[in-house]
Amino acid sequence: MTTLSPQTSITDVLAGILDDPAIARNIALHRTIPARPARFAPFPQRLAPELAGALRGRGIEKLYSHQAEAIDANLAGENVVIVTPTASGKTLCYNVPVLQRLLENPNARALYFFPTKALSHDQYHGLHEMAAQLERDIKVFTYDGDTPAAARSAIRHAGHIVLTNPDMLHAGILPHHTRWLQLFENLETIVIDEMHQYRGVFGSHVANLIRRLRRICAFYGARPKFICCTATIANPKELAERLVDEPFRLIDRSGAPTGQREIIFYNPPVVNKELGIRASAVKEARKLVLRFIERDLQTIVFARTRTRVELLTTYLRRALARMRRNPEAVKGYRGGYLPNERRAIEQ
């Protein structure tokens, strides 16, 4: 029996999907984006030798061009907004300047906020490991609803880098700013990741939250620089400047390599022409996803609501059980799970 490589399997599954008449007639768009090689740049000259050494220790001998540009611009005192694809290394665009400032000034502080707890916990581990490599007393903490009450006081006084989310910033930090004296007096960098999430009514709330944050920083004499990261959107510079009410430098030419990508827009088939009713998007997603799971391909399915996450998880597990496969190979992940459940799924 021949074992197919993952790439061959993906190609085969996609070919089968596109060749299936029942599916092909409902594809509204199919576009192939070709692969692109990387563009590199050397470490910025102002980078501390020990930080450059820590990067090399992680196998990073040089930076992608957009990383070098973002780091250099922020260390020069500019607010920057980075718009590059997923998995293009945006994390280094803010971790490196934050750690550089901490090496230059051990009292410096940084505040990161992410739209979800999952994102902040994901970023915490990489940042904590990188800070530990420097062998300095750099304390990195997550401060959200899952943080034990006993740990919160220590974080307020000792945290050099605090990772949080808009809800906790609004309810747990800004109203109690006098308890966060060390943070606000020495705050040099504010990181806003996944900025594209802050649009519409929610975005207007976050903009007011950032205004409050900047007023409190000014009260304590701090003028932090902002680093914003976002997925590809049409107006990133405008959005960043409206959220923060300060000028930004746009960095939107990614130097990261990309493999070939297939973009397919699929409409569920019409089941009632008179009423214009289409088949369930959840059930159609289940059928498409099963084609990948059958070939043991790691697959991520996103849904817009908690209910749809649970429905898809249930449908896929039942399908795997009928195939005499392990249904626990499919995991749901959404808001509302207990902290220990989320950590177990993340692992």
Side-chain angles (χ1 to χ4, degrees):
M1 180 178 178
T2 303
T3 301
L4 297 175
S5 70
Q7 187 60 48
T8 303
S9 299
I10 291 171
T11 302
D12 287 350
V13 174
L14 284 174
I17 287 173
L18 295 171
D19 290 341
D20 186 335
I23 295 176
R25 71 169 66 101
N26 295 302
I27 292 177
L29 174 75
H30 176 207
R31 183 168 298 166
T32 300
I33 300 176
R36 187 182 62 200
R39 289 185 292 111
F40 294 103
F43 294 143
Q45 290 185 347
R46 70 184 77 208
L47 208 63
E50 56 193 301
L51 183 51
L55 291 171
R56 292 191 179 98
R58 298 170 68 87
I60 302 170
E61 296 293 334
K62 48 191 173 181
L63 298 170
Y64 295 136
S65 56
H66 68 276
Q67 292 174 328
E69 184 183 357
I71 292 166
D72 209 32
N74 187 253
L75 290 177
E78 295 184 74
N79 298 313
V80 296
V81 54
I82 302 117
V83 189
T84 56
T86 301
S88 59
K90 287 193 285 287
T91 301
L92 279 186
C93 294
Y94 49 79
N95 282 346
V96 171
V98 165
L99 292 171
Q100 172 73 17
R101 288 192 170 102
L102 278 163
L103 292 175
E104 294 171 350
N105 174 16
N107 292 320
R109 296 290 189 269
L111 180 67
Y112 291 29
F113 69 89
F114 304 89
T116 64
K117 293 177 185 177
L119 281 169
S120 62
H121 281 276
D122 182 50
Q123 293 294 336
Y124 166 80
H125 296 292
L127 178 57
H128 187 271
E129 289 174 10
M130 195 170 174
Q133 279 183 282
L134 297 173
E135 297 182 352
R136 296 285 191 95
D137 185 26
I138 298 175
K139 293 183 172 63
V140 182
F141 295 110
T142 298
Y143 192 86
D144 56 30
D146 296 342
T147 305
R152 295 188 180 192
S153 177
I155 294 172
R156 286 194 288 265
H157 292 96
H160 291 98
I161 306 173
V162 178
L163 288 69
T164 189
N165 55 63
D167 294 325
M168 201 63 179
L169 185 65
H170 167 66
I173 297 178
L174 296 186
H176 312 289
H177 59 86
T178 54
R179 298 181 184 177
W180 291 84
L181 199 63
Q182 293 292 328
L183 176 75
F184 287 114
E185 283 188 338
N186 300 285
L187 190 57
E188 294 194 8
T189 312
I190 297 173
V191 174
I192 304 175
D193 202 1
E194 302 291 318
M195 184 187 68
H196 55 276
Q197 299 277 359
Y198 306 127
R199 62 188 187 275
V201 174
F202 180 46
S204 68
H205 289 319
V206 173
N208 282 322
L209 186 64
I210 294 170
R211 290 189 184 101
R212 286 172 56 205
L213 173 60
R214 290 180 61 228
R215 283 199 302 269
I216 289 171
C217 288
F219 176 79
Y220 288 100
R223 291 185 56 84
K225 295 301 174 185
F226 286 81
I227 304 175
C228 298
C229 297
T230 176
T232 304
I233 55 175
N235 59 339
K237 188 171 185 291
E238 178 191 359
L239 177 59
E241 291 179 343
R242 292 185 69 178
L243 272 175
V244 178
D245 202 23
E246 285 194 14
F248 272 78
R249 175 171 171 176
L250 175 64
I251 297 171
D252 60 353
R253 293 188 62 194
S254 174
T258 59
Q260 179 174 306
R261 287 175 288 169
E262 303 288 338
I263 310 296
I264 300 172
F265 282 81
Y266 174 79
N267 264 332
V270 175
V271 294
N272 188 318
K273 289 185 178 180
E274 289 77 14
L275 297 176
I277 298 173
R278 293 184 177 271
S280 163
V282 173
K283 292 182 178 179
E284 291 297 304
R286 176 198 58 185
K287 288 193 291 187
L288 292 169
V289 171
L290 278 173
R291 290 176 176 250
F292 293 91
I293 293 177
E294 287 168 349
R295 302 296 288 268
D296 292 322
L297 292 169
Q298 289 186 324
T299 309
I300 301 177
V301 187
F302 292 94
R304 293 187 64 87
T305 65
R306 297 179 180 186
T307 302
R308 287 189 174 188
V309 169
E310 290 301 320
L311 281 173
L312 273 168
T313 302
T314 302
Y315 290 160
L316 291 171
R317 283 178 171 173
R318 287 175 181 171
L320 284 181
R322 287 194 295 269
M323 294 160 57
R324 299 182 183 278
R325 306 273 288 275
N326 178 18
E328 290 302 311
V330 175
K331 296 289 186 184
Y333 188 91
R334 58 167 176 78
Y337 289 168
L338 294 172
N340 60 329
E341 292 177 315
R342 288 201 302 272
R343 298 296 91 77
I345 295 167
E346 288 163 15
Q347 288 300 318

